[in-house]
Amino acid sequence: MANSGYDAVVDIDDEGDLGHTDLQEDLEFHNSNFSETAPALGRKANTASSGLPLPATAPTSSGGGKRFLWTISFYAQFFDVDTSAVLTRCWAALFPRANFLDVLEGNPDLYGPFWIATTVVLILFLGGTISDYRASQGAGQFAYDFRLLSGAAGLIYGYTFVIPVVLYLALRYFGSESANLLECWALYGYGNLVWIPVALVSWSSITILNWVFVGVGFGLSVAFLLRNLYPVLSATDRQTSKALLILVVALHFGLAIAIKVLFFAHGSPLKSGDGEKTPE
């Protein structure tokens, strides 16, 4: 009867005496749903055991198999994040209180880093163009210099997406098991957020103001990187972690100087001399 889907209910009197119970009249059978609820409870317990969401790259039972490098779904998983999460991460990057890796909650994305880098590129190009236009007033017809755009794209995209790969490979080589490439990309990408207000003043011809803004941008962004990279870098030996910290600061300082020299004011080597103006 246990295999028939029934459970037994026996009526017991107040004294707990079974002797006066008529099993023919008082024994009732009801449909059992134990077989339906038990697996569901098991699944709920499994999903509640982890307090963090699965990473975007983690395989799921509903994913329908492996994702291959040449498929769109492989790259789409890196952009699987909603607007509220991106805004929360931007806020945490500008006003850091907790470790940024904790803010990522095991789900780093490339959506925020890509659009932040793109915004910096466009603002640097527009700021440099405005600066160039102001300097060329009265000197003939003005023409856009798209070498500023290609230079900004090469600098910002290269720094944001190539340097983390080098850092990740170095960490793995020196034995850091906690290194994660997506997290490195996310750190460098969201760390670029501070360069947006800095790039907005790149059209200014006041040299001291340019240097102040670049210096503040460098200080805030490098502090953000060091604060969040230090736990990962410290997983290596002491000499290696110190060398990698110096390398991170030196490369970031190089980025700040390149932004100042190439895109601020009127003296950028990327701006053409005679070719940027077309005489009337």
Side-chain angles (χ1 to χ4, degrees):
M1 182 164 301
N3 295 329
S4 301
Y6 294 97
D7 58 332
V9 178
V10 180
D11 187 15
I12 305 176
D13 58 18
D14 295 337
E15 290 76 20
D17 186 9
L18 290 174
H20 301 289
T21 301
D22 189 348
L23 296 181
Q24 297 295 331
E25 297 180 359
D26 297 331
L27 190 61
E28 300 178 0
F29 296 95
H30 300 274
N31 290 330
S32 171
N33 58 357
F34 291 155
S35 60
E36 298 173 3
T37 59
L41 292 175
R43 289 193 297 269
K44 183 176 181 181
N46 290 336
T47 56
S49 62
S50 176
L52 297 177
L54 291 175
T57 54
T60 58
S61 58
S62 60
K66 297 180 179 180
R67 296 184 177 98
F68 297 98
L69 185 64
W70 56 85
T71 61
I72 296 178
S73 61
F74 177 83
Y75 300 96
Q77 62 183 327
F78 305 135
F79 295 83
D80 185 17
V81 64
D82 56 27
T83 303
S84 61
V86 173
L87 293 177
T88 299
R89 295 171 183 188
C90 289
W91 183 265
L94 288 176
F95 304 98
R97 294 184 179 181
N99 189 292
F100 191 75
L101 297 182
D102 296 333
V103 177
L104 294 177
E105 296 182 331
N107 185 27
D109 69 284
L110 295 182
Y111 182 89
F114 173 78
W115 286 113
I116 290 172
T118 302
T119 303
V120 175
V121 168
L122 293 177
I123 294 178
L124 285 175
F125 169 66
L126 293 176
T129 300
I130 293 173
S131 175
D132 201 20
Y133 174 77
R134 294 178 61 192
S136 65
Q137 286 182 333
Q141 184 178 359
F142 175 77
Y144 290 99
D145 188 359
F146 286 98
R147 285 183 295 179
L148 286 173
L149 181 60
S150 59
L155 176 65
I156 300 301
Y157 286 135
Y159 181 80
T160 303
F161 295 106
V162 176
I163 297 301
V165 174
V166 176
L167 179 62
Y168 168 76
L169 293 177
L171 287 171
R172 299 294 294 184
Y173 177 79
F174 289 109
S176 176
E177 298 295 334
S178 59
N180 182 286
L181 180 57
L182 281 177
E183 290 179 348
C184 290
W185 272 330
L187 279 176
Y188 273 82
Y190 283 100
N192 284 334
L193 197 63
V194 71
W195 292 114
I196 293 179
V198 172
L200 288 174
V201 298
S202 62
W203 57 269
S204 174
S205 58
I206 305 176
T207 303
I208 186 64
L209 181 64
N210 293 340
W211 280 111
V212 168
F213 271 86
V214 170
V216 171
F218 166 75
L220 293 177
S221 54
V222 78
F224 171 79
L225 288 177
L226 293 181
R227 175 179 180 176
N228 295 284
L229 283 175
Y230 181 76
V232 180
L233 298 179
S234 60
T236 61
D237 62 83
R238 184 176 180 180
Q239 295 297 326
T240 301
S241 63
K242 185 182 297 185
L244 291 176
L245 282 173
I246 295 175
L247 179 63
V248 168
V249 175
L251 291 174
H252 205 67
F253 181 76
L255 173 69
I257 294 299
I259 290 176
K260 170 63 181 71
V261 172
L262 298 179
F263 301 101
F264 278 63
H266 317 300
S268 172
L270 291 177
K271 299 176 182 178
S272 54
D274 299 330
E276 65 180 3
K277 316 283 189 310
T278 303
E280 293 181 336

